[in-house]
Amino acid sequence: MYHISDLRKYLRCPRLFQLSFNEKSTSFNPYVRLDQQVTELAIEKLKIDDYFLGVVNDEPDKALDAMNNYDWIVKGRFEYKNLRIKVPFLHKNEDGWNLYFLFIGNFPHEDDVLFYTSTVWVLINNDINIKDINIIHLNNEYVREDELDVNKLFVISNHFYNAKNNKASNVKELIFRKMRDYSSILSKMNNLEENELVEPKRVKACTRFGKCKYYDDCFNEEKIEDNSILTLVSSQYKHHMYKDGIRYLKDVDLDRLEGSRKQYAQIRADENGGLFYDKFGLSLWLSKIKFPISFLDFEWETFSIPPYKGMKTYDVLPFQYSLHILDENNNITHKEFIGFNDTRLDLINNLINDIPLEGSIMAYNGNAAEKLRIKELAKSFPEYKKQLMNIHSRIIDLQFPFDLGLIYDTRMKGQYSLKRIMSVVDEVGYDGLEIDEGMKAVYNWRFVDRAVNNEEKEEIIKNLKLYCAMDTYSMIVIYRWLKKLVVK
Ligand code: SF4
């Protein structure tokens, strides 16, 4: 039996389908937090009181039988040609059924219709007459008050949205226009299951929706050398060059080079034996940094449904920060904050109290992260706007010299994360930390936040603090490294 996710994987890459189908499913930790049962909220929105509720492992006939006795079918399971689907809502009308999809996002886009078309394909092949199709999705304009207002939280829409989030095609029209007969694909999937594993082939699908989880296994990427041509960033032709026998950055084919500053720094680093830095550019950038320097890092959670007053759908909630302060005499002090539930006011007050009134504030990727978070907090709590925007105005992004190609070390292997750069400058770095990357921090915080009285709480808080503090400590190490290079 297959699910739509299997079909999606097969269409992306048959080998991906084979590998994931044979893998034991592990529990999935979503990037975005969803505490409320969205189906229950949507039931409230649709004002349904009497309904059949499908559950996991239902026989496919169960929902079909229930259609004789109920006007509403919720989460009904149906099957056709071995493809099993779960249908959010079906509502009986005079001469057929209205179908409601449930999309837990703000804008269901028309370029991702496989889920919708394959669902309708199974339904009509079960002789269900679909009269109308709507999508229930989240309302991006809704701002929560004290209580969640389900009527305002959702929008019921009969159209998809385009890339600019403007109204686009009619849902029913597009689904019927794009729907195909999936029988032959399903039978190919069936045959493939019994066959040998398909050989890996580097195609756009390997990286198009983010790097495929099997990429390193398929192409031995972890084993590539530091100065391999395959580490060249934003390069359309690196794989072609590799295929043509070009192995190293310094041997790059200039006719097939986009020529960005980052690429230039990479090539120069290889030519120099591993390290390149633009002494003048780096000195100029460093000269703008004023003592005391505050190294700041936030951790935050993203909620699909706003949990607290003043929040919108997909708003983020900063729950922790670490702050290392470096003064002119090389003294370091450390301050930190971690909170649970609605942390916003406590975090603001602590931050305003902890951060020096003067000097630069350094954050890695701070333009896209810490600056944004502070702006959001200032918007939600205008009474703190002045102090928060003062902090905002002093933030300098430590990623800037790396992004601008002012420095590159081939040991970075084309990766620009704080952790990767730290591993170049300090061998120990994040090694041995229980929590050693951002999403792990979020999952651990989520675990404690949901059950504040659990026994592991203190241990998790200790590990969260160690991780966040390592981020700001790493920034000091990297800052000192850059300083040392320019005085050489
Ligand atoms: S890395 Fe590419 S070839 Fe390998 S499974 Fe993924 S999509 Fe398929």
Side-chain angles (χ1 to χ4, degrees):
M1 180 183 57
Y2 303 120
H3 295 99
I4 295 173
S5 56
D6 298 314
L7 187 61
R8 198 188 291 279
K9 281 174 197 156
Y10 176 83
L11 291 171
R12 181 176 172 184
C13 164
R15 179 180 164 91
L16 168 66
F17 159 70
Q18 280 178 305
L19 289 169
S20 62
F21 199 78
N22 294 328
E23 212 174 54
K24 269 198 170 169
S25 66
T26 49
S27 63
F28 172 65
N29 234 334
Y31 290 109
V32 173
R33 180 154 155 189
L34 187 63
D35 285 351
Q36 283 92 342
Q37 292 297 325
V38 188
T39 301
E40 283 170 18
L41 296 175
I43 285 173
E44 217 181 308
K45 166 79 178 175
L46 290 167
K47 300 185 175 39
I48 309 173
D49 41 30
D50 188 28
Y51 57 92
F52 165 83
L53 180 66
V55 292
V56 182
N57 296 331
D58 267 356
E59 288 298 324
D61 287 348
K62 207 168 168 189
L64 280 172
D65 289 345
M67 292 174 92
N68 298 318
N69 305 316
Y70 289 88
D71 283 352
W72 281 97
I73 305 293
V74 178
K75 290 186 176 176
R77 268 65 173 184
F78 300 88
E79 265 183 52
Y80 182 65
K81 298 229 165 155
N82 229 8
L83 181 63
R84 183 176 169 89
I85 57 161
K86 179 171 79 176
V87 181
F89 299 99
L90 279 168
H91 184 213
K92 192 186 281 179
N93 68 18
E94 280 151 25
D95 48 358
W97 291 82
N98 289 339
L99 166 61
Y100 293 86
F101 286 104
L102 181 57
F103 180 76
I104 311 166
N106 291 328
F107 300 103
H109 284 136
E110 57 186 0
D111 55 1
D112 182 26
V113 288
L114 180 70
F115 174 76
Y116 305 99
T117 52
S118 47
T119 299
V120 173
W121 180 74
V122 171
L123 290 176
I124 59 178
N125 279 296
N126 274 277
D127 295 326
I128 297 168
N129 183 16
I130 301 296
K131 297 305 289 181
D132 200 10
I133 308 179
N134 284 287
I135 302 180
I136 308 169
H137 64 85
L138 298 177
N139 175 6
N140 75 316
E141 287 175 6
Y142 169 61
V143 182
R144 180 178 171 140
E145 292 296 330
D146 285 326
E147 298 298 324
L148 192 67
D149 183 336
V150 169
N151 278 319
K152 291 182 183 160
L153 173 69
F154 291 112
V155 171
I156 300 177
S157 169
N158 65 358
H159 51 259
F160 285 107
Y161 296 82
N162 62 20
K164 290 185 175 163
N165 295 334
N166 293 322
K167 284 183 185 178
S169 322
N170 176 277
V171 172
K172 188 178 174 190
E173 271 172 32
L174 190 78
I175 289 174
F176 277 91
R177 184 151 40 92
K178 296 258 176 162
M179 192 166 57
R180 53 203 266 203
D181 184 356
Y182 297 101
S183 313
S184 64
I185 298 174
L186 288 162
S187 89
K188 279 185 200 157
M189 286 164 67
N190 207 21
N191 295 337
L192 206 59
E193 241 190 274
E194 292 146 22
N195 288 346
E196 297 243 310
L197 194 59
V198 173
E199 281 300 309
K201 204 170 151 200
R202 220 183 288 268
V203 286
K204 276 191 185 149
C206 299
T207 48
R208 194 170 51 210
F209 306 107
K211 194 169 155 186
C212 169
K213 71 186 254 202
Y214 301 108
Y215 192 92
D216 293 339
D217 292 339
C218 287
F219 305 115
N220 283 330
E221 199 81 326
E222 275 304 302
K223 297 180 187 78
I224 61 172
E225 292 172 82
D226 289 352
N227 58 343
S228 165
I229 191 75
L230 294 174
T231 64
L232 191 64
V233 294
S234 312
S235 165
Q236 206 184 335
Y237 300 107
K238 63 183 174 187
H239 294 299
H240 298 94
M241 289 190 257
Y242 187 82
K243 234 172 149 185
D244 294 344
I246 297 172
R247 289 287 175 269
Y248 301 109
L249 290 164
K250 60 179 166 21
D251 302 322
V252 70
D253 174 1
L254 293 175
D255 289 337
R256 287 186 279 182
L257 184 70
E258 287 81 357
S260 72
R261 297 185 66 123
K262 261 172 147 175
Q263 291 177 329
Y264 174 74
Q266 287 188 282
I267 295 159
R268 289 294 307 275
D270 190 22
E271 287 169 350
N272 289 351
L275 176 66
F276 163 78
Y277 58 97
D278 171 347
K279 197 167 178 176
F280 177 75
L282 213 47
S283 306
L284 194 66
W285 181 77
L286 284 164
S287 69
K288 293 187 183 141
I289 297 162
K290 305 277 176 263
F291 285 103
I293 310 170
S294 302
F295 295 86
L296 178 67
D297 182 67
F298 282 168
E299 304 298 331
W300 62 84
E301 170 74 293
T302 308
F303 289 85
S304 46
I305 294 179
Y308 305 115
K309 190 177 175 181
M311 288 179 75
K312 296 174 79 176
T313 55
Y314 284 87
D315 262 2
V316 298
L317 183 94
F319 59 80
Q320 178 181 13
Y321 68 75
S322 167
L323 175 68
H324 271 100
I325 302 160
L326 177 70
D327 72 17
E328 244 162 321
N329 302 317
N330 241 345
N331 298 315
I332 297 175
T333 44
H334 182 239
K335 306 198 175 202
E336 62 192 342
F337 167 85
I338 185 163
F340 295 93
N341 306 128
D342 189 354
T343 51
R344 294 171 297 171
L345 270 177
D346 278 352
L347 184 137
I348 291 172
N349 280 310
N350 277 274
L351 184 66
I352 289 172
N353 206 28
D354 283 347
I355 214 155
L357 289 171
E358 292 178 335
S360 302
I361 300 166
M362 203 164 276
Y364 195 81
N365 193 25
N367 285 344
E370 279 71 16
K371 273 186 136 175
L372 259 183
R373 300 291 84 88
I374 286 174
K375 221 171 170 181
E376 287 158 359
L377 288 170
K379 200 173 167 204
S380 301
F381 299 93
E383 62 274 34
Y384 295 96
K385 187 173 175 183
K386 201 171 159 208
Q387 292 110 307
L388 287 170
M389 290 316 284
N390 175 280
I391 293 171
H392 180 276
S393 68
R394 291 190 284 141
I395 291 181
I396 292 176
D397 195 334
L398 180 57
Q399 195 171 320
F400 184 79
F402 296 91
D403 276 348
L404 208 66
L406 296 179
I407 178 158
Y408 183 75
D409 187 305
T410 51
R411 288 171 293 171
M412 287 162 60
K413 284 191 165 188
Q415 293 167 35
Y416 291 76
S417 69
L418 186 59
K419 196 171 155 186
R420 171 60 81 172
I421 299 171
M422 181 62 171
S423 74
V424 168
V425 190
D426 178 310
E427 272 184 15
V428 181
Y430 289 74
D431 285 359
L433 288 183
E434 202 60 42
I435 296 172
D436 60 359
E437 51 106 6
M439 278 321 291
K440 254 194 212 173
V442 173
Y443 298 147
N444 275 276
W445 180 80
R446 194 178 286 175
F447 177 70
V448 179
D449 191 52
R450 277 177 171 155
V452 175
N453 290 325
N454 71 66
E455 290 167 6
E456 297 153 73
K457 182 181 171 186
E458 294 311 319
E459 187 64 17
I460 292 175
I461 291 175
K462 186 187 92 188
N463 289 328
L464 282 166
K465 284 181 174 175
L466 283 173
Y467 168 66
C468 200
M470 179 52 79
D471 275 349
T472 44
Y473 174 70
S474 299
M475 285 190 237
I476 295 186
V477 173
I478 292 166
Y479 168 75
R480 283 176 166 164
W481 176 50
L482 300 182
K483 283 284 275 190
K484 216 165 139 189
L485 288 175
V486 298
V487 294
K488 261 186 188 170

